[in-house]
Amino acid sequence: MSLRAIDWLPDSVCRWTPLPMAGEAIVLPEAEAELVVDVAERRRGHFIAGRVCARAALAELGHVDAVIGRTADGAPAWPDGVIGSIAHCGDAAVAIAASTQHWAALGIDIEIDRALPDDAAAYVLDEAQCARLAELPGGLARWALPAFSAKECVHKCLQPLRGLFLEFSEVAITFSMDSDRYTVEAKSARAQQAMAGFEWTGELRRFDGLLLSLLAARRL
Ligand SMILES: CC(C)(COP(=O)(O)OP(=O)(O)OC[C@H]1O[C@@H](n2cnc3c(N)ncnc32)[C@H](O)[C@@H]1OP(=O)(O)O)[C@@H](O)C(=O)NCCC(=O)NCCS
């Protein structure tokens, strides 16, 4: 299944699938299957669905039969010339891939679109961020999950790009009320340093009871 074209992401392809995946058993390339030998069935299903989406996106970019390994940090290992990101939640898996010609890092996250529990919101958002989101239409109940999801995208971009593991408090997310866009603000010196030199574009989409966040970094 494809998502609406992402017009601001040239040469990118995004694919998603509902979970559990229907159809015959999917056979992964051996190098991928080895990555989920001793894991629970549910985790294996999510992994497979993510890889299926990623492979479909890569095929459309001309990388047919690609094998998507895993880095030591858990990130997908993309073929040369491509970057991307994978996510899954209880109901869906999604992947995006794009040419490195245009983008230095991509992050994607998918969540079931429901209010984030209060304790989780308190963990990922400090008081100032909670207060800002509470003022938006729908309040914290509507915006805490998107803020969490956007921060997951920050991690998925920055960790492979800079080898850096930021705390949730080190960035703040601001949502546009006129568009689907969001911006990421660095709140610590090392977040500022890590984000410098790139233009960051974030987008949020709600569809089919799901919430999808995307973040892309373009080298300045
Ligand atoms: C890695 C992490 C983002 C995964 O989130 P999750 O909700 O458990 O799972 P998701 O479905 O969203 O994403 C899982 C996918 O992320 C990808 N991933 C894992 N580690 C990654 C990393 N270091 N960099 C980029 N992508 C990574 C993988 O593709 C993984 O799927 P796979 O193992 O099937 O290939 C999360 O566990 C984590 O460590 N977060 C860090 C904390 C954070 O976000 N801090 C905020 C910074 S501002």
Side-chain angles (χ1 to χ4, degrees):
M1 259 182 248
S2 71
L3 286 165
R4 160 165 72 82
I6 303 169
D7 44 8
W8 54 272
L9 265 167
D11 292 343
S12 76
V13 182
C14 190
R15 289 284 176 268
W16 78 283
T17 179
L19 284 172
M21 281 184 83
E24 308 159 22
I26 294 156
V27 179
L28 291 175
E30 202 178 325
E32 291 179 12
E34 283 170 2
L35 301 174
V36 280
V37 170
D38 287 322
V39 303
E41 213 42 53
R42 179 184 156 89
R43 165 65 178 130
R44 191 195 314 278
H46 286 196
F47 177 89
I48 290 172
R51 286 312 195 263
V52 165
C53 293
R55 216 182 319 286
L58 288 175
E60 204 162 312
L61 292 171
H63 295 261
V64 182
D65 296 333
V67 173
I68 307 145
R70 182 160 65 200
T71 71
D73 295 307
W78 301 96
D80 287 346
V82 182
I83 46 156
S85 186
I86 297 173
H88 18 70
C89 62
D91 287 359
V94 66
I96 188 166
S99 160
T100 50
Q101 199 186 338
H102 297 285
W103 301 96
L106 288 176
I108 199 163
D109 186 55
I110 194 154
E111 304 286 342
I112 297 171
D113 191 6
R114 59 188 171 204
L116 199 63
D118 288 348
D119 55 343
Y123 182 69
V124 299
L125 300 166
D126 61 25
E127 271 182 39
Q129 290 177 60
C130 282
R132 269 203 316 184
L133 296 178
E135 286 172 8
L136 301 179
L140 199 55
R142 181 166 174 80
W143 294 103
L145 181 72
F148 163 69
S149 184
K151 289 186 184 201
E152 293 275 87
C153 290
V154 172
H155 175 76
K156 289 181 180 180
C157 284
L158 276 186
Q159 209 283 323
L161 191 62
R162 301 289 209 193
L164 192 65
F165 198 123
L166 291 181
E167 300 299 326
F168 284 107
S169 58
E170 290 183 88
V171 299
I173 309 296
T174 302
F175 296 101
S176 163
M177 292 297 107
D178 307 324
S179 71
D180 297 334
R181 296 293 174 89
Y182 66 83
T183 53
V184 181
E185 186 192 347
K187 303 295 279 185
S188 69
R190 62 180 199 142
Q192 211 162 16
Q193 210 170 9
M195 292 179 68
F198 299 94
E199 178 188 56
W200 295 85
T201 308
E203 183 179 336
L204 196 72
R205 293 181 182 190
R206 287 182 150 110
F207 69 101
D208 288 5
L210 298 167
L211 184 136
L212 179 87
S213 308
L214 272 171
L215 184 65
R218 183 201 292 271
R219 219 164 244 113
L220 289 172

